[in-house]
């Protein structure tokens, strides 16, 4: 993970710095052994923390990026985004060299400006915090900037919006590397939602449910434990003691997605866990996850995950008892 040292970093950017440290930096031997090995690589020996009076010292420099499996740029200083201050040239060169050597390169929030400056986003779809996407698009016209999503996975280059969207992307990386079961367990330890799809909107009217929406939580939890049943919006609305129209509007405001898409995401998440954690036949996985038939499971899996259920199972050997 790369931190800059030449330009003061405001204290609020430490949030993006802490996300990969939390997700990848603490060993989780009961989930996967070995876990990730995290190194903070600085553009200078000390990275100032701005008004907070914090500093970061690391023995690792930019030369250590080459040879890394994944390089994360958590953010860049505001001066580089708002005032056009140049990013360190040795950082840009190091990012290019790491990518050329086969590293997966990831940005959180304004870290996308460093990837764009390095040319790694040319011709690719990418995102950043919606406050900065217009500047990103204007400064780097070769980048297909999407300001409406939480994160974009373009294979070897991934970008996310700001703040909690960076956490969504880091958990997505764990899911890609180690499987849905381990990512879900890690999310549970962090007391965060196990999976918010990258295509979910950045613009959510009510990030925190209002008091009179408390009925949503038990209704959604009930749905998660009954995914093997045919569920409708009317069923969920009845559980929440709301009309279907009111339920639709409130779920959309809280999650940024529709009830049917939310149900599909939950079903696919359960199917992933069953494929990883059990030896159940594909037909049984489809039945238990509420997707009905193996063909229907295969259709949605290919569309959202990009591989067949069988290929997914082969890529993730069992990591939990049936």
């Amino acid at each position: 993970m790369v931190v800059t040292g030449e330009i003061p970093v405001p204290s609020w950017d430490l949030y993006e710095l802490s996300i990969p440290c939390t997700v990848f930096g603490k060993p989780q031997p009961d989930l996967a052994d070995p876990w990730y090995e995290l190194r903070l690589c600085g553009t200078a020996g000390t990275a100032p923390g701005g008004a907070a009076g914090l500093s970061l010292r690391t023995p690792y420099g930019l030369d250590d990026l080459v040879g890394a499996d994944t390089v994360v740029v958590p953010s860049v200083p505001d001066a580089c985004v708002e005032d056009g201050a140049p990013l360190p040239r040795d950082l840009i060169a190091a990012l290019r060299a790491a990518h050329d050597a086969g590293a997966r390169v990831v940005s959180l929030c304004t870290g996308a400006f460093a990837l764009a400056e390095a040319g790694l986003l040319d011709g690719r779809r990418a995102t950043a915090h919606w406050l900065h996407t217009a500047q990103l698009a204007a400064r780097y016209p070769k980048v297909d900037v999407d300001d409406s999503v939480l994160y974009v996975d373009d294979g070897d280059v991934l970008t996310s919006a700001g703040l909690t969207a960076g956490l969504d992307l880091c958990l997505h990386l764990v899911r890609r590397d180690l499987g849905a079961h381990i990512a879900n367990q890690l999310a549970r330890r962090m007391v965060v939602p196990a999976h918010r799809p990258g295509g979910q909107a950045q613009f959510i009217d009510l990030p925190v449910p209002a008091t009179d929406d408390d009925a949503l939580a038990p209704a959604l939890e009930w749905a998660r434990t009954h995914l093997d049943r045919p569920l409708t919006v009317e069923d969920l609305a009845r559980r929440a003691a709301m009309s279907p129209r009111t339920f639709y509007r409130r779920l959309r405001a809280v999650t940024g997605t529709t009830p049917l898409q939310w149900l599909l995401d939950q079903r696919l998440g359960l199917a992933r866990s069953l494929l990883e954690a059990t030896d159940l036949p594909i037909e049984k996985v489809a039945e238990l996850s509420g997707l009905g038939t193996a063909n229907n499971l295969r259709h949605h899996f290919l569309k959202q995950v990009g591989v067949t259920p069988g290929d997914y199972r082969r890529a993730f050997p069992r990591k939990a008892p049936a």
Side-chain angles (χ1 to χ4, degrees):
M1 184 168 61
V2 185
V3 293
T4 56
E6 287 84 347
I7 307 171
V9 179
S11 57
W12 54 85
D13 281 347
L14 296 177
Y15 180 79
E16 273 89 9
L17 175 62
S18 69
I19 290 171
C21 290
T22 302
V23 173
F24 305 116
K26 180 181 178 181
Q28 307 282 349
D30 58 322
L31 295 183
D33 193 12
W35 192 249
Y36 297 88
E37 180 184 354
L38 178 71
R39 295 182 178 180
L40 298 181
C41 301
T43 58
T46 302
L54 302 175
S55 63
L56 175 68
R57 296 185 182 275
T58 174
Y60 302 107
L62 295 177
D63 291 343
D64 293 285
L65 297 187
V66 177
D69 295 314
T70 302
V71 175
V72 181
V73 184
S75 64
V76 299
D78 279 355
C80 300
V81 177
E82 303 293 344
D83 304 327
L87 284 157
R89 301 316 304 169
D90 52 349
L91 167 62
I92 302 307
L95 290 174
R96 290 178 184 143
H99 184 257
D100 290 344
R104 176 175 61 183
V105 183
V106 179
S107 68
L108 311 183
C109 195
T110 57
F113 283 79
L115 272 57
E117 184 68 22
L120 302 184
L121 299 182
D122 288 356
R124 296 180 186 257
R125 180 166 160 262
T127 194
H129 194 294
W130 61 268
L131 283 172
H132 306 298
T133 47
Q135 292 162 301
L136 182 66
R139 195 172 303 174
Y140 303 102
K142 294 182 180 179
V143 182
D144 179 12
V145 178
D146 188 343
D147 64 2
S148 66
V149 295
L150 295 179
Y151 57 84
V152 175
D153 181 343
D154 198 32
D156 58 340
V157 177
L158 301 91
T159 56
S160 84
L163 300 173
T164 55
L167 178 55
D168 292 318
L169 178 53
C170 287
L171 287 172
H172 171 72
L173 291 172
V174 175
R175 188 175 297 106
R176 262 184 53 172
D177 296 340
L178 303 175
H181 176 74
I182 290 178
N184 291 345
Q185 293 301 307
L186 179 61
R188 184 179 181 187
R189 293 179 182 184
M190 299 176 66
V191 200
V192 296
H195 182 216
R196 289 202 298 171
Q200 184 169 315
Q202 287 192 41
F203 302 99
I204 298 176
D205 295 334
L206 298 175
V208 179
T211 303
D212 61 351
D213 280 346
D214 286 348
L216 278 178
L220 298 182
E221 185 58 33
W222 175 84
R224 289 189 188 98
T225 60
H226 295 84
L227 291 173
D228 57 326
R229 300 183 183 183
L231 299 175
T232 65
V233 176
E234 288 74 15
D235 294 329
L236 300 181
R238 193 178 305 113
R239 279 274 162 181
M242 301 175 188
S243 70
R245 179 176 295 182
T246 299
F247 180 84
Y248 182 100
R249 185 177 67 251
R250 291 188 178 176
L251 183 70
R252 185 66 184 259
V254 170
T255 68
T257 191
T258 66
L260 292 180
Q261 184 60 50
W262 181 88
L263 270 174
L264 178 59
D265 292 337
Q266 303 306 309
R267 295 188 192 282
L268 287 171
L270 176 57
R272 286 187 179 199
S273 294
L274 291 172
L275 289 169
E276 295 173 26
T278 76
D279 292 324
L280 292 171
I282 300 296
E283 292 78 8
K284 190 65 176 177
V285 171
E287 176 187 337
L288 291 176
S289 60
L291 291 167
T293 66
N295 283 339
N296 196 39
L297 171 63
R298 188 175 297 108
H299 167 76
H300 288 294
F301 225 79
L302 275 170
K303 185 176 180 180
Q304 183 155 320
V305 184
V307 297
T308 66
D311 287 341
Y312 183 86
R313 171 171 272 168
R314 283 186 286 273
F316 295 103
R318 284 180 59 182
K319 298 178 178 68

